[in-house]
Amino acid sequence: MGIMARNAAAAVTSADVARLAGVSRATVSFVLNDTQTHRVSEATRARVLAAADTLGYVPHAGARALRAGRNNLVLIPAAVSAVGRLVSGWIDDLHTELERYGYTAVLHAGRYTDPAAAARAWAELRPGAVLALDGTSLGAAGAQVLRRAGVRALMALAPQPVEGVHTVLFDDRRVGVCAAEHLVARGRRRLGVVMPGERGLSAFAEPRLAGARSVAARTTATVTPLEMEYTHASAARLASGWAQRGLDGVFAYNDEYASLLLCVFRDAGVDVPGEVAVVGCDDLVTAALQRPALTTVRLAVPSAAQVAAALHDLIETGTAAPLPAVEPVLVRRASA
């Protein structure tokens, strides 16, 4: 306890920097925050920076955010337990693009059943922006909470515009429609749709199932949900006794689940596409390398650079040009 107290007492403050540099705390603030509205001579600036470096002073982000009403954080809610390769790669690119504007992307792993509670938790961090990849987690009420907390930039991927939020239209139902329409066009009538067991993915899987069912409703096809976890054991259980299931086509949620299915079908002696046609989603590099090569749905997503630029505009001006909607595009290969 004594060591902890001494360490806490030894924390370097801006007052320490000011004393060592022989300037006021205000001057230290002007220099370290690079405030353009106050002129500080180069000699004084150099003295302050040297003092800060000598003492190892690091500005307090929370205090800075309190003064400015926000900080340089772009908060990305990450309540999904299993983020696919497409999304993880896109987020990684977004980190890089946001850094060009001086922002830091932070994944917020809080798990909330109430969107309003989620918004309050995000608002406590006073981020400069919130980017919700699952638009259902940021509704009009949540947007109002964040706006009142001073968050200028709110963006969400959602199937319809969200009041008070810069919305990128992305309707997962259209993904299911695209996959199911192709399977039906290929003569398949008894379709299975993989429903991932991993936490959070139902927010995307349920609309895809609904899209496939809408195709069945206007054709002679039927749709059967297939529960599956992203494990070899779960996939193998699904493949065992496949002939008894009577299904001749599968939309496997995404390329990762589809690739796992292709593997267990091969092990079980199920012919693809002879007995069952398989369609994935995302058009990962590995999709074309499968045997047979995987038919998939490519998602034409706004680039990380476009999204970063729009978030910057929203933070700086409160407005940004509309971003293109996410469009599903079928990529036909040998599996279906």
Side-chain angles (χ1 to χ4, degrees), residues 175 178-180 182-183 249-255 258 277-281 294-297 330-331 335-336:
V175 178
C178 184
H182 175 70
L183 288 168
V250 177
F251 172 41
Y253 177 70
N254 71 9
D255 290 351
V278 179
V279 177
C281 179
L294 181 63
T295 294
T296 186
V297 178
L330 186 83
V331 180
S335 70

Side-chain angles (χ1 to χ4, degrees), residues 61-326:
R64 179 185 295 170
L66 187 62
R67 289 192 299 271
R70 62 173 174 83
N71 53 38
N72 68 337
L73 300 182
V74 174
L75 188 147
I76 305 174
V80 175
S81 62
V83 175
R85 180 67 187 86
L86 177 72
V87 175
S88 62
W90 185 85
I91 289 177
D92 187 61
D93 291 340
L94 183 62
H95 277 271
T96 301
E97 295 297 334
L98 288 171
E99 285 174 358
R100 301 182 195 280
Y101 294 98
Y103 304 123
T104 300
V106 175
L107 299 181
H108 191 285
R111 303 177 183 183
Y112 305 95
T113 56
D114 176 21
R120 286 192 293 271
W122 304 336
E124 287 180 5
L125 299 177
R126 294 297 190 274
V130 171
L131 169 60
L133 302 182
D134 170 16
T136 61
S137 65
L138 181 58
Q144 189 175 46
V145 170
L146 291 162
R147 291 286 186 197
R148 287 175 176 172
V151 182
R152 289 176 62 85
L154 301 177
M155 184 181 293
L157 275 69
Q160 60 276 324
V162 180
E163 184 181 349
V165 177
H166 196 78
T167 307
V168 179
L169 295 178
F170 179 22
D171 189 350
D172 273 289
R173 288 174 299 181
R174 295 185 60 199
V175 178
V177 168
C178 184
E181 283 184 339
H182 175 70
L183 288 168
V184 170
R186 300 297 293 164
R188 310 302 167 131
R189 292 296 182 269
R190 300 178 304 280
L191 312 184
V193 175
V194 168
M195 304 299 289
E198 283 67 30
R199 180 182 62 82
L201 293 185
S202 62
F204 310 100
E206 290 288 352
R208 295 183 184 192
L209 174 63
R213 281 176 166 160
S214 72
V215 173
R218 52 185 166 83
T219 65
T220 58
T222 60
V223 169
T224 301
L226 302 171
E227 294 185 5
M228 173 181 156
E229 296 176 357
Y230 188 63
T231 66
H232 184 273
S234 180
R237 284 193 297 271
L238 190 59
S240 65
W242 184 260
Q244 285 69 49
R245 295 182 182 274
L247 302 176
D248 59 6
V250 177
F251 172 41
Y253 177 70
N254 71 9
D255 290 351
E256 291 161 310
Y257 288 83
S259 298
L260 189 53
L261 271 183
L262 289 179
C263 174
V264 296
F265 280 153
R266 188 165 53 246
D267 291 344
V270 177
D271 180 55
V272 177
E275 293 180 58
V276 56
V278 179
V279 177
C281 179
D282 293 347
D283 194 23
L284 301 181
V285 172
T286 53
L289 304 179
Q290 300 300 319
R291 291 296 176 266
L294 181 63
T295 294
T296 186
V297 178
R298 179 191 302 133
L299 299 178
V301 181
S303 70
Q306 288 176 298
V307 171
L311 286 169
H312 176 64
D313 288 343
L314 288 169
I315 291 172
E316 292 297 314
T317 69
T319 62
L323 289 169
V326 178

